Amino acid sequence: MKLAVMGAGAVGRSVAKLAGEYGHTVTALADSSGAVVDADGIDVAAVLARKRGSGTVGDAEVATALDAPYDALVEATPTTLSDAQPGFGHVEAALERDRHVVLANKGPVAERYDEVRALAADSRGEVLFEAAVAGAIPTLSTIDSLGPERVRAVRGVLNGTANFVLSRMAAEGLDYEHVLAEAQDLGVAEADPSFDVEGTDAALKCVILANVLYDGGYTLADAEVEGIRSIPGSALELAAEDGRTVRLIGEVSDGSVRVGPRLVPENGTLAVTGTTNIVQLETEHAGQLNISGAGAGGPETASAVLADVGRLPPVD
Amino acid sequence: MKLAVMGAGAVGRSVAKLAGEYGHTVTALADSSGAVVDADGIDVAAVLARKRGSGTVGDAEVATALDAPYDALVEATPTTLSDAQPGFGHVEAALERDRHVVLANKGPVAERYDEVRALAADSRGEVLFEAAVAGAIPTLSTIDSLGPERVRAVRGVLNGTANFVLSRMAAEGLDYEHVLAEAQDLGVAEADPSFDVEGTDAALKCVILANVLYDGGYTLADAEVEGIRSIPGSALELAAEDGRTVRLIGEVSDGSVRVGPRLVPENGTLAVTGTTNIVQLETEHAGQLNISGAGAGGPETASAVLADVGRLPPVD
């Protein structure tokens, strides 16, 4: 397939780099700085070297990427709240051209899911977004196989940064500020970590899951969200005395979406450590399924994007 | 879709019972005692009540089920070694009629994979077998999404009976014979448990995985297999002193298939307890993925069969 990749962060760059191995051609790559388009396939290595040098992928306007010849648009620009732009506009442009869309960007399917679905209903293009929920973990494809109506609840650890902080606090007896600084040094937490530690990122993933399970209607405003900032190290020590620990757990069940710190058994399934994510599905006939793996990372998330691309039917 | 269900054990019965909920019609059900066929859909509840009473599902010859109108044949007769009959013959009959086949039976895809593939290549029918590897765990669909060539290794706990025995031995400090008797009382182990405790069942699953990863060529004869019968309780005690325990681990990597008792970290990912199974995939770009859940059970395995049925294209 011909791919237009929107966004040249870790995920967009990895999709562009790996596309050839999966038998695809990248005909356009764009980020906020500019775009490069070549109907025969751009020279990905050269373009990414240019970005490392000058900071821009190319001189063309971003809009030229949207007009490029492609079968599927890969939306990997940064997640934004409310209007979910510029991602939503990219999704709209592709669907109006009867092209497929594969999202790693959570914004459009968390904040404007019903609009995305309405656009898809009027398009010959399809919309897939496995990479938007827990990176490499095959969450949405598993729910699709089971049938969303047979999934009673989904819960899990859906943010690697928050999990790194909590598992280090518990393992080393350190407090939040100390571990956060360490995580920032390691590149696990961003300079402004609020999106991760306040639970917003995990909540967006849960909102997407709720939209899939309950046939739309959810945005971030429907989620009850509490972060990990105010957890004292002493709370983790107390939990440990009782064989338990604390994890930032997102949960979608009975029509509601909740994210917050929860006590879980110290060596239990949900107590993954470091940046690992886990998704736990309670199903109607198949019992409980647990899937853990990399919830973020360039190649890992790109792997989910390219799996989605592989599921798309040919464009007429 | 119209389904012919071959086999009326726990899995075949569950497939027949749940098919309607998934929008399918069971047009035939057969086991070694006989068959019942109705082009408009058999009365599953009545047929299963009859089987509970008289021991037979119907008076028709098994062959009439193979000639029934159906889109997909569900092969859920008992797994047999070497010639993999009668399952293989059922697969052959369906593919020669250009019908799809979904297997829960491991035999044909472990012992005669290359023949099954050759038959499928000459047929408009497709062959899927997610349920044959670790029941409800979405193993093959995940490998398919990743691309088999990007899976470096698969390992895991693939037999619930053996895992129940080992985890009880470790938790209670009991010896093999004692726990096996308990497992037999609970119905977790069969009267003749050799298939499970000698590693054969796990090995068959690994052979299927090897056939998928390496494009065929494997049978049980290619697997190096060691069971759990000779593990003394004292070995588990020694392991525990070192923070480890023993699990029956199947592994497919670098072209080889091995099953045997292995030391694993006591609270590590592979140390699932009870009858839970776990599959661990080492991937090229997506890191390590772990999927745990029910590796057996009627409804659980039927859920994987019906997910496969949902993936099949319409029959012309």
Side-chain angles (χ1 to χ4, degrees):
Chain A
M1 280 199 171
K2 289 183 175 176
L3 305 181
V5 180
M6 307 303 291
V11 176
R13 291 198 306 271
S14 287
V15 170
K17 275 189 251 185
L18 294 174
E21 182 195 316
Y22 284 71
H24 307 304
T25 305
V26 180
T27 54
L29 178 63
D31 67 5
S32 53
S33 73
V36 56
V37 174
D38 187 330
D40 296 324
I42 64 169
D43 180 341
V44 173
V47 169
L48 295 181
R50 176 180 171 149
K51 180 169 163 67
R52 279 194 301 276
S54 68
T56 170
V57 293
D59 294 328
E61 298 283 320
V62 174
T64 60
L66 297 174
D67 293 332
Y70 62 83
D71 303 306
L73 179 137
V74 174
E75 171 44 46
T77 64
T79 295
T80 57
L81 304 184
S82 302
D83 71 359
Q85 294 290 14
F88 182 83
H90 300 161
V91 172
E92 189 172 29
L95 290 173
E96 284 178 351
R97 284 182 59 192
D98 289 320
R99 296 301 188 267
H100 300 304
V101 175
V102 174
L103 292 118
N105 176 358
K106 293 174 281 293
V109 275
E111 293 288 61
R112 302 179 73 176
Y113 184 81
D114 295 353
E115 290 171 82
V116 169
R117 230 178 17 163
L119 288 166
D122 286 338
S123 173
R124 282 181 297 163
E126 295 187 11
V127 180
L128 295 174
F129 41 99
E130 177 71 88
V133 180
I137 295 177
T139 309
L140 301 181
S141 54
T142 300
I143 291 173
D144 186 58
S145 292
L146 291 162
E149 69 277 19
R150 292 183 203 97
V151 177
R152 289 180 192 159
V154 184
R155 75 180 69 82
V157 170
L158 299 169
N159 183 275
T161 303
N163 203 64
F164 177 90
V165 171
L166 287 174
S167 51
R168 285 286 292 169
M169 283 172 72
E172 308 295 332
L174 299 169
D175 66 17
Y176 172 81
E177 296 300 338
H178 188 107
V179 177
L180 179 65
E182 179 197 49
Q184 285 168 325
D185 284 347
L186 289 168
V188 168
E190 304 198 33
D192 176 2
S194 5
F195 203 65
D196 296 312
V197 298
E198 286 175 1
T200 314
D201 175 71
L204 289 170
K205 291 164 185 166
C206 287
V207 166
I208 296 170
L209 287 165
N211 280 324
V212 169
L213 292 190
Y214 309 127
D215 213 19
Y218 289 78
T219 70
L220 187 58
D222 300 299
E224 199 179 294
V225 189
E226 190 189 337
I228 62 165
R229 267 193 166 138
S230 55
I231 300 174
S234 58
L236 289 159
E237 281 167 36
L238 275 170
E241 285 171 19
D242 194 29
R244 297 193 286 178
T245 190
V246 177
R247 287 293 181 269
L248 183 66
I249 303 289
E251 180 160 19
V252 182
S253 63
D254 299 321
S256 75
V257 177
R258 288 176 302 271
V259 174
R262 307 278 182 254
L263 283 167
V264 299
E266 201 164 20
N267 297 310
T269 309
L270 288 172
V272 289
T273 55
T275 59
T276 301
N277 284 20
I278 184 164
V279 172
Q280 187 169 77
L281 305 172
E282 300 290 349
T283 76
E284 192 67 28
H285 304 301
Q288 185 187 82
L289 288 170
N290 299 286
I291 321 181
S292 67
E300 294 86 350
T301 307
S303 169
V305 167
L306 290 161
D308 269 353
V309 171
R311 279 186 266 270
L312 292 169
V315 169
D316 310 327
Chain B
M1 280 200 172
K2 290 183 175 177
L3 305 180
V5 180
M6 307 303 291
V11 176
R13 292 199 305 272
S14 288
V15 170
K17 276 190 251 185
L18 293 174
E21 181 194 316
Y22 285 70
H24 307 303
T25 305
V26 180
T27 53
L29 178 63
D31 67 5
S32 54
S33 74
V36 55
V37 174
D38 187 331
D40 297 323
I42 65 169
D43 180 342
V44 172
V47 170
L48 295 181
R50 175 180 171 148
K51 179 168 165 67
R52 279 194 301 276
S54 68
T56 170
V57 294
D59 294 329
E61 298 282 321
V62 174
T64 60
L66 297 174
D67 294 330
Y70 63 83
D71 303 307
L73 179 136
V74 174
E75 170 45 44
T77 64
T79 295
T80 56
L81 303 184
S82 302
D83 71 359
Q85 293 291 14
F88 182 83
H90 300 161
V91 172
E92 188 173 30
L95 290 173
E96 284 178 350
R97 283 182 59 193
D98 289 321
R99 296 301 188 267
H100 300 305
V101 175
V102 175
L103 292 119
N105 176 358
K106 294 173 281 293
V109 275
E111 294 287 62
R112 301 179 74 177
Y113 183 81
D114 295 351
E115 290 171 81
V116 169
R117 227 173 25 157
L119 288 166
D122 285 338
S123 173
R124 282 181 297 162
E126 296 187 11
V127 180
L128 294 174
F129 41 98
E130 178 71 89
V133 180
I137 295 177
T139 309
L140 301 181
S141 54
T142 300
I143 292 174
D144 187 56
S145 292
L146 291 161
E149 69 279 19
R150 292 183 204 97
V151 177
R152 289 180 191 159
V154 184
R155 73 180 71 82
V157 170
L158 299 168
N159 184 275
T161 303
N163 203 63
F164 177 90
V165 171
L166 287 174
S167 50
R168 285 286 293 167
M169 283 173 71
E172 308 295 331
L174 300 168
D175 66 17
Y176 172 82
E177 296 301 337
H178 187 108
V179 176
L180 178 66
E182 178 197 48
Q184 285 168 325
D185 284 348
L186 290 167
V188 167
E190 304 198 35
D192 175 2
S194 8
F195 203 64
D196 297 312
V197 298
E198 286 175 1
T200 314
D201 174 71
L204 289 169
K205 291 164 185 166
C206 287
V207 166
I208 296 170
L209 286 165
N211 280 324
V212 169
L213 292 190
Y214 309 128
D215 213 17
Y218 289 78
T219 69
L220 187 58
D222 300 300
E224 199 179 294
V225 189
E226 190 189 335
I228 62 165
R229 266 191 166 138
S230 56
I231 300 174
S234 57
L236 289 159
E237 281 167 38
L238 275 170
E241 284 171 21
D242 194 28
R244 298 194 284 178
T245 190
V246 176
R247 287 294 180 269
L248 183 66
I249 302 289
E251 180 159 20
V252 182
S253 63
D254 300 321
S256 75
V257 177
R258 289 176 301 271
V259 174
R262 308 276 182 257
L263 282 167
V264 299
E266 201 164 19
N267 296 310
T269 310
L270 288 172
V272 289
T273 54
T275 60
T276 301
N277 283 19
I278 184 164
V279 172
Q280 186 169 77
L281 304 173
E282 300 290 350
T283 76
E284 191 66 27
H285 304 300
Q288 186 187 81
L289 288 170
N290 299 286
I291 320 180
S292 67
E300 294 85 349
T301 307
S303 171
V305 167
L306 290 161
D308 268 353
V309 171
R311 279 186 265 270
L312 292 168
V315 168
D316 310 327

